[in-house]
Amino acid sequence: MYLADHTWPELGDALDPGSVALVPLGSTEQHGPHLPLATDHLIAEGLATAAAERSDAFRTPTINVGVSPHHRQFPGTMWVDPPEFRDYVESFSRNLAYHGIDRVVFVNAHGGNVQHLREVGRRLHEDEVAYAVEWMWDESIPELVDDLFERNGPHAGPKETAMITHLAPELVREDRLEDARDGGLVDLESAETMVHGARTFYDSVDNSANGAFGDPTDVTPEKSERLFEAAADQLVQLAEWIGDRDEAELFPEPRVEREST
């Protein structure tokens, strides 16, 4: 169910403790010469929509701009600073809790959001406002991603190209797939991204001139559908697992008292 499609009387009867909200979050940032800036938030929204249709969870409106300053050199990229992002998502989640939704899945499709969403979840958990977890779609199916594509990349590579091929094929610039591969970074191991245990870069352009990583030419509609369905199934299972938990299982344990002797 998409929350925003319903009237307040309808939602007043539906929302209660135990309800699960799926909050899609992504970014509006460069994704190489072949994918739209909307890539991440389209993926998050597509997966959250599918999962909400296949479960009792509610999908909220999408948060389209995330923490993306590491892509700032590429025209059109938008971002918010981490403190403001965390505060906004926390306020958004507290609003859901006010209406009775005490379980939240941050359906995330942007790596730059991960640590900040986990911090928001920790704050909400500590205050016993809501049980909120960050879910990154590709981390739910890592073996399948590796099996489907020979030369993966963390950004604008085959896995993200496949997801947009499935969700919005008209937005994939198929005539630029080879450009993305040849002008980007295909093999991360060949780049000095880590030296003596230290990460050596701050911005994606430091490693990829066109912002793409991996080989997106290795994508087919069949692989795209398989990838999307596998991730959507994992999200449905997560939403059902969280919805089935007793409240006592989700919120902090009491302070451990020293045993008397």
Side-chain angles (χ1 to χ4, degrees):
M1 176 188 293
Y2 179 44
L3 187 147
D5 280 347
H6 294 270
T7 67
W8 71 261
E10 293 167 347
L11 292 172
D13 294 335
L15 304 181
D16 54 31
S19 297
V20 179
L22 305 177
V23 180
L25 303 101
S27 67
T28 299
E29 65 181 23
Q30 73 84 16
H31 275 80
H34 63 301
L35 293 178
L37 301 184
T39 290
D40 286 346
H41 69 251
L42 288 177
I43 294 172
E45 185 170 284
L47 288 167
T49 298
E53 291 173 348
R54 303 173 193 181
S55 71
D56 293 330
F58 296 90
R59 176 174 75 85
T60 74
T62 303
I63 297 175
N64 292 338
V65 178
V67 182
S68 303
H70 49 295
H71 295 293
R72 67 188 183 277
Q73 288 90 348
F74 295 93
T77 291
M78 304 179 70
W79 69 90
V80 291
D81 292 330
E84 286 71 22
F85 177 78
R86 290 192 295 267
D87 288 347
Y88 181 87
V89 176
E90 181 177 349
S91 180
F92 187 102
S93 303
R94 287 179 181 272
N95 172 268
L96 294 173
Y98 175 83
H99 291 296
I101 300 176
D102 63 353
R103 298 146 202 245
V104 177
V105 179
F106 297 131
V107 181
N108 183 33
H110 173 51
N113 295 340
V114 171
Q115 62 179 312
H116 308 295
L117 293 174
R118 290 176 179 171
E119 170 60 19
V120 171
R122 187 195 65 77
R123 293 181 191 176
L124 296 168
H125 182 258
E126 190 173 86
D127 291 347
E128 300 188 33
V129 171
Y131 180 80
V133 294
E134 183 270 339
W135 180 82
M136 186 76 175
W137 71 270
D138 57 323
E139 292 181 356
S140 74
I141 49 170
E143 295 86 1
L144 179 59
V145 173
D146 288 340
D147 288 344
L148 288 178
F149 306 114
E150 182 178 352
R151 291 186 288 182
N152 279 307
H155 181 78
K159 61 186 178 184
E160 291 187 324
T161 303
M163 294 297 267
I164 299 301
T165 296
H166 180 76
L167 289 165
E170 71 280 4
L171 296 181
V172 179
R173 280 61 168 178
E174 294 187 2
D175 61 331
R176 301 299 304 276
L177 293 176
E178 292 185 2
D179 293 341
R181 177 196 63 198
D182 297 340
L185 178 64
V186 173
D187 182 13
L188 268 68
E189 294 183 1
S190 66
E192 290 189 336
T193 57
M194 295 290 292
V195 175
H196 302 302
R199 176 170 164 156
T200 60
F201 66 97
Y202 286 96
D203 300 323
S204 63
V205 74
D206 294 338
N207 293 312
S208 173
N210 69 10
F213 297 79
D215 182 2
T217 66
D218 188 24
V219 172
T220 66
E222 293 75 22
K223 289 181 180 181
S224 301
E225 180 178 11
R226 187 178 173 193
L227 194 71
F228 180 86
E229 289 299 326
D233 181 64
Q234 288 294 308
L235 182 55
V236 168
Q237 292 187 57
L238 175 61
E240 291 176 343
W241 181 87
I242 291 175
D244 288 341
R245 302 276 73 75
D246 291 331
E247 183 178 357
E249 297 179 73
L250 298 178
F251 290 108
E253 295 289 337
R255 178 178 179 272
V256 175
E257 300 293 342
R258 193 175 79 173
E259 294 183 5
S260 58
T261 57

